[in-house]
Amino acid sequence: MKAIQTSMLQFMQQQNQVFIIPVYQRTYKWTRLHCKQLLQDILRVSGASNTKTHFIGSVVYITDEHYQATKVKHLTIIDGQQRLTTLSLLLMAMCNYLEQNSDKFTTTYTELFNQYLVNQFQNKYENEYIKLQLTKHDKEFYQKLIRKETIANDNHNIYNNYKFFYEQINSGKIDIDDLYDGIGKLMIVDVSLIRTQDDPQLIFESLNSTGAKLTQADLIRNYLLMDLNAQFQDRIYNEYWFKIEKRLNEEKQELSDFIRDYLTLMNERIPNKSQVYEEFKKFFNSKYDRTEESLEALVKELMLYSTYYEKIIRQIDKNNQINRYLIDFYQLDVKVIYPLIMKLYYDYENNLLSLKDFTYILQLLESFVIRRLICGAPTNSLSKVILSLIKELDKSDYVGSIERILVSKKTVQRFPRNDEFKNEFLIKDIYNLQKKNRRFILDKLENYENKEILNIDEFTIEHIMPQTTKLSDKWVKALGDNWKEIHSKYLHTIGNLTLTRYNSEMSSKFFTEKRDMEGGFRDSACRLNKDLRDLSTWNEDEIINRANRLFSIAEKIWPYPTTAIVDENYDTILDFDDDWTGKKPTYFTFMDEKYPVKDITQLYVKAISLMYEYDPEMFTEIINDEDMLSRKFWSTDANDFNNSYLLLDTNININTNLNSENKKRNLLLLLNKIGFTEHDFIIYL
């Protein structure tokens, strides 16, 4: 590696060289805000009397060790393409302005164009004529600007930023000679790597070690494609990776999310969002190598799974039954389910899963989510259940195994049975659920088996018994002596909620007035109002009756598995949301390794020992912070506790004279402080 300080113009002006942005690099991302800042920095140091320079970072590139002097030298840029492209656009804008205003400045069009934008001695119709060779997404726009060709679609960063620079220069407020002087004062570190001697991937990682510059998907693309044979690299990018990028918008983190979900499916554990790149490298090194055949097999598989992922996140499956559930999962925002759906898609398209079974499983998954929502089960347990389904699914008995796994889950991971679901459904405060969830439930109840789907977005939620605590005499009389208790208990429950377009007109009117008014319950196209048309009053009995009628629909929409057999061989997971009192763990996994234990205390000390071994220095620092010291977690004197455990080869005595709940809290705090998640530490009963 060779690094020297130089000016950006000196770097760009050498003849017979092209700057190649390799296919694995992300596309041009700078916006007008970046361009505005760069222009201000240039103007700040411009002017013959100003001796200041401005450092804009490094440009890192790969060269071949040997190249013929008569040929054009190819510099493969691995860091600095955004600045290099932006300055090229600024120089191009200056050129085009000077072409029309050549008599006003000493700087000339020919000087700028021939020195920095093209190799003037090359054939102008060959690729090596244009100095900057961008990736597929950007190349067309940039080359058309250089060649002054018509651009049909001008909504592109390349064109937009060129236009910004041209408009700023054309405003007459900028002196081209001063601007050129300022560009000449932009300094860089010119870092050249020799392909056969340096490791560009390691250098690339160090340049982006904070993760701030590139997304996880950017890093993974570079890792896969960097330093490959150029011809093979282009083919892999164009046949596979480019198609993946077209499907999944990385500006919305879709591609990074896809790779995370793909890794979850393949590794059967959920990687931390900030560690997807590191987890991908481990996955790659465990199953693949850098031969062309192996690399192509992986990227080809990624492209296949990206087609499933696109269907999931865009809800574009051609089968209406499948797509209906994809829409539902999107509306419920349960992205944790996506890895499992990718697995189902793969097996469905490979004839291992029938359409009937596929849609039934999707229905079961939706039922699992909704029943848990109604019954108040913690949402963070859902991911562990999905992992269980991925790990334990038996393809020889697809539906049966999924039903048995779901039914076997206990406590916070449970699939609420009909009795619990009904009890909670009748009294649940539906109105104060998240807006997306309450509208989803009402939408499903309204449109169940309805061929003419009602768009409930055009309606608002109406409380049949009004929300105000200052009820009219008619309402008080109808509800009875304990009207306050009835109002408080049932106000936001499903029995008292409906949909209307006349919410403001109904206001706090009595039931029969709401029923008979224009647009009232009798006049409504909404099926949720059908059972209100012939009622003469509204009270506790009617609220309960209506809630029961709606539950009879709900249990059909969100059924419980039909299986009557629960395979007790399925392990039940003990969550941190559970009560640990009296629980008997049989083993736990830590960083995917299995450790048998007999009780909570043995689990406690073994887990603490593993966390100490993982990073003794960090562990020691954590247990000495104020939070841990206040818990009487440890001591150098074993006599401080009735029962203790001496931690490995240290003088740290862990206090084991704690109840199970305190042990749980201490473990969770340690895991969080060291940086593990609950997916790294799973306890099985």
Side-chain angles (χ1 to χ4, degrees):
M1 180 177 73
K2 182 180 179 183
I4 60 170
Q5 180 173 311
T6 187
S7 75
M8 191 66 165
L9 287 184
Q10 284 177 324
F11 174 75
M12 295 174 68
Q13 73 180 3
Q14 297 178 55
Q15 281 297 308
N16 288 328
Q17 68 176 12
V18 292
F19 310 114
I20 302 206
I21 309 301
V23 292
Y24 56 76
Q25 288 281 30
R26 62 179 173 176
T27 55
Y28 180 60
K29 298 292 184 185
W30 272 28
T31 65
R32 287 197 170 199
L33 288 176
H34 296 100
C35 294
K36 183 178 180 181
Q37 182 61 56
L38 178 64
L39 190 59
Q40 288 174 348
D41 291 337
I42 292 170
L43 293 174
R44 181 170 48 82
V45 297
S46 66
S49 61
N50 193 340
T51 58
K52 290 182 179 179
T53 59
H54 179 67
F55 179 68
I56 60 170
S58 60
V59 176
V60 185
Y61 55 92
I62 307 168
T63 63
D64 290 320
E65 189 172 8
H66 304 290
Y67 66 92
Q68 296 178 17
T70 56
K71 291 188 175 181
V72 174
K73 184 178 180 182
H74 287 196
L75 308 185
T76 302
I77 307 295
I78 66 170
D79 189 61
Q81 69 137 320
Q82 304 291 325
R83 284 156 286 160
L84 184 58
T85 305
T86 304
L87 277 169
S88 296
L89 292 173
L90 174 56
L91 289 164
M92 197 186 307
M94 293 166 66
C95 283
N96 291 339
Y97 181 77
L98 285 169
E99 198 170 21
Q100 305 298 322
N101 300 274
S102 58
D103 57 334
K104 297 180 181 179
F105 306 101
T106 57
T107 306
T108 68
Y109 166 89
T110 303
E111 177 186 0
L112 298 185
F113 191 76
N114 287 340
Q115 284 198 68
Y116 308 115
L117 299 179
V118 299
N119 289 307
Q120 60 177 313
F121 302 115
Q122 298 296 317
N123 186 320
K124 64 187 297 185
Y125 298 105
E126 297 293 331
N127 282 334
E128 291 176 336
Y129 172 68
I130 298 175
K131 278 195 171 185
L132 180 60
Q133 299 290 321
L134 297 175
T135 58
K136 187 169 183 175
H137 292 279
D138 304 322
K139 188 173 186 176
E140 178 186 357
F141 283 89
Y142 184 79
Q143 292 194 351
K144 282 186 175 181
L145 284 172
I146 288 279
R147 292 174 173 142
K148 298 183 175 61
E149 296 174 1
T150 302
I151 296 176
N153 176 14
D154 59 4
N155 186 23
H156 191 282
N157 268 9
I158 292 287
Y159 182 78
N160 289 339
N161 290 351
Y162 161 78
K163 188 177 177 184
F164 167 77
F165 285 133
Y166 188 85
E167 288 171 350
Q168 294 298 305
I169 296 167
N170 196 43
S171 69
K173 298 177 182 177
I174 296 175
D175 183 286
I176 290 281
D177 293 331
D178 284 344
L179 182 59
Y180 187 32
D181 176 76
I183 296 172
K185 293 174 181 175
L186 296 180
M187 305 302 293
I188 62 167
V189 174
D190 173 338
V191 182
S192 61
L193 310 176
I194 296 176
R195 192 179 301 277
T196 58
Q197 297 178 9
D198 300 307
D199 188 335
Q201 181 63 32
L202 289 178
I203 294 169
F204 177 83
E205 287 181 16
S206 69
L207 290 167
N208 295 280
S209 59
T210 64
K213 291 184 180 180
L214 299 177
T215 68
Q216 298 293 299
D218 288 331
L219 292 166
I220 289 165
R221 179 192 60 235
N222 293 9
Y223 176 74
L224 288 173
L225 301 181
M226 184 180 286
D227 205 29
L228 297 178
N229 171 278
Q231 186 176 359
F232 177 69
Q233 185 184 88
D234 286 344
R235 185 173 69 80
I236 291 295
Y237 178 76
N238 291 319
E239 288 186 16
Y240 303 112
W241 197 271
F242 178 72
K243 293 175 182 177
I244 296 173
E245 289 182 331
K246 291 286 282 184
R247 290 189 184 110
L248 305 175
N249 185 346
E250 185 51 14
E251 289 186 4
K252 298 178 180 178
Q253 285 289 110
E254 291 174 354
L255 183 49
S256 290
D257 288 343
F258 158 65
I259 297 174
R260 182 174 185 243
D261 287 342
Y262 171 81
L263 289 174
T264 298
L265 176 59
M266 296 301 163
N267 290 337
E268 298 180 349
R269 63 188 300 270
I270 302 174
N272 187 294
K273 279 193 172 184
S274 63
Q275 296 296 313
V276 173
Y277 173 52
E278 294 301 324
E279 289 296 323
F280 185 87
K281 287 197 295 182
K282 292 176 187 176
F283 166 74
F284 178 87
N285 290 326
S286 68
K287 300 192 178 197
Y288 297 90
D289 56 47
R290 296 202 70 81
T291 63
E292 291 186 355
E293 182 180 11
S294 182
L295 276 165
E296 183 165 7
L298 172 57
V299 180
K300 189 175 182 179
E301 181 171 272
L302 284 170
M303 188 179 78
L304 173 65
Y305 277 92
S306 76
T307 64
Y308 307 148
Y309 204 76
E310 182 187 27
K311 290 179 182 179
I312 295 168
I313 67 171
R314 304 265 186 269
Q315 306 93 52
I316 54 171
D317 196 285
K318 293 179 181 178
N319 183 283
N320 289 333
Q321 290 176 280
I322 296 173
N323 212 52
R324 180 65 258 172
Y325 287 109
L326 298 182
I327 293 169
D328 289 352
F329 293 133
Y330 174 78
Q331 291 176 341
L332 290 167
D333 194 25
V334 282
K335 295 178 181 177
V336 70
I337 213 166
Y338 290 176
L340 176 60
I341 299 180
M342 282 199 291
K343 182 182 184 74
L344 297 175
Y345 254 122
Y346 180 87
D347 291 338
Y348 168 62
E349 295 204 350
N350 285 278
N351 299 315
L352 299 172
L353 181 64
S354 68
L355 173 61
K356 179 183 176 183
D357 288 346
F358 189 9
T359 53
Y360 174 66
I361 292 168
L362 293 176
Q363 182 188 33
L364 271 189
L365 293 173
E366 182 179 313
S367 179
F368 184 71
V369 170
I370 290 296
R371 285 178 176 240
R372 288 170 57 79
L373 172 68
I374 295 296
C375 295
T379 55
N380 61 349
S381 298
L382 180 60
S383 59
K384 292 179 182 176
V385 179
I386 299 303
L387 284 176
S388 291
L389 290 168
I390 290 172
K391 290 178 182 180
E392 300 167 19
L393 192 152
D394 179 0
K395 294 187 180 184
S396 67
D397 182 20
Y398 225 115
V399 170
S401 69
I402 283 184
E403 287 186 324
R404 287 190 292 273
I405 295 166
L406 289 174
V407 170
S408 72
K409 299 303 175 185
K410 310 297 182 188
T411 62
V412 295
Q413 294 185 22
R414 70 192 181 280
F415 196 145
R417 298 173 184 267
N418 285 338
D419 53 352
E420 182 188 3
F421 182 40
K422 182 175 183 179
N423 291 337
E424 293 297 325
F425 186 84
L426 298 182
I427 62 170
K428 182 75 174 182
D429 182 344
I430 298 292
Y431 185 72
N432 285 310
L433 292 174
Q434 288 185 24
K435 183 179 179 181
K436 62 181 172 59
N437 291 333
R438 75 188 184 201
R439 294 195 73 85
F440 179 85
I441 291 167
L442 289 168
D443 187 350
K444 288 294 179 180
L445 293 171
E446 168 63 27
N447 287 307
Y448 175 65
E449 292 189 340
N450 188 1
K451 292 183 179 180
E452 296 182 5
I453 301 299
L454 190 74
N455 181 6
I456 74 162
D457 290 338
E458 299 173 0
F459 291 72
T460 55
I461 297 175
E462 166 69 12
H463 289 76
I464 302 170
M465 173 178 61
Q467 294 192 69
T468 179
T469 55
K470 296 179 180 179
L471 294 176
S472 67
D473 291 341
K474 284 184 178 180
W475 271 115
V476 170
K477 184 178 179 181
L479 295 175
D481 294 339
N482 58 339
W483 65 272
K484 288 184 179 179
E485 290 79 8
I486 293 170
H487 186 268
S488 175
K489 183 176 181 180
Y490 296 107
L491 178 63
H492 298 312
T493 63
I494 194 67
N496 191 53
L497 299 178
T498 191
L499 296 166
T500 182
R501 286 194 180 103
Y502 294 87
N503 188 278
S504 59
E505 290 87 344
M506 287 185 174
S507 186
S508 300
K509 287 184 172 69
F510 184 58
F511 174 75
T512 53
E513 296 174 76
K514 293 185 178 186
R515 181 195 66 190
D516 298 334
M517 62 180 278
E518 183 180 353
F521 300 142
R522 274 186 175 163
D523 214 13
S524 176
C526 180
R527 293 201 307 170
L528 284 175
N529 295 323
K530 186 177 180 180
D531 57 359
L532 304 176
R533 295 171 186 171
D534 299 323
L535 296 179
S536 58
T537 191
W538 192 248
N539 53 32
E540 183 177 18
D541 288 341
E542 296 299 346
I543 293 172
I544 293 172
N545 289 339
R546 184 168 181 268
N548 276 288
R549 288 194 296 273
L550 292 175
F551 176 75
S552 68
I553 300 173
E555 68 176 340
K556 294 174 186 174
I557 301 171
W558 303 298
Y560 191 75
T562 56
T563 183
I565 301 171
V566 178
D567 188 344
E568 296 300 335
N569 291 324
Y570 285 106
D571 294 319
T572 301
I573 293 174
L574 180 63
D575 256 305
F576 280 95
D577 292 314
D578 290 326
D579 182 351
W580 283 20
T581 305
K583 296 297 189 294
K584 294 289 184 184
T586 57
Y587 70 96
F588 70 91
T589 59
F590 181 72
M591 301 291 286
D592 294 331
E593 293 291 327
K594 183 176 178 179
Y595 301 94
V597 290
K598 295 178 180 179
D599 53 34
I600 292 292
T601 299
Q602 192 178 38
L603 177 146
Y604 183 65
V605 297
K606 182 61 179 175
I608 290 170
S609 299
L610 290 168
M611 284 187 268
Y612 169 77
E613 289 177 316
Y614 178 80
D615 192 332
E617 186 176 343
M618 182 189 296
F619 181 91
T620 305
E621 182 180 334
I622 288 169
I623 66 171
N624 279 290
D625 72 18
E626 187 176 335
D627 197 2
M628 293 303 286
L629 290 173
S630 68
R631 293 168 180 249
K632 297 182 178 178
F633 175 72
W634 71 283
S635 173
T636 55
D637 186 353
N639 295 320
D640 285 348
F641 311 121
N642 291 333
N643 293 294
S644 64
Y645 166 78
L646 182 63
L647 183 61
L648 303 176
D649 57 350
T650 71
N651 64 346
I652 299 171
N653 294 279
I654 303 297
N655 180 13
T656 58
N657 191 39
L658 303 169
N659 63 34
S660 295
E661 285 297 288
N662 282 327
K663 288 171 183 169
K664 175 181 76 173
R665 282 192 284 270
N666 286 346
L667 282 178
L668 184 59
L669 182 65
L670 274 174
L671 286 166
N672 291 337
K673 283 181 176 288
I674 294 176
F676 294 112
T677 70
E678 292 180 37
H679 303 297
D680 298 312
F681 181 74
I682 302 175
I683 305 165
Y684 295 87
L685 296 175

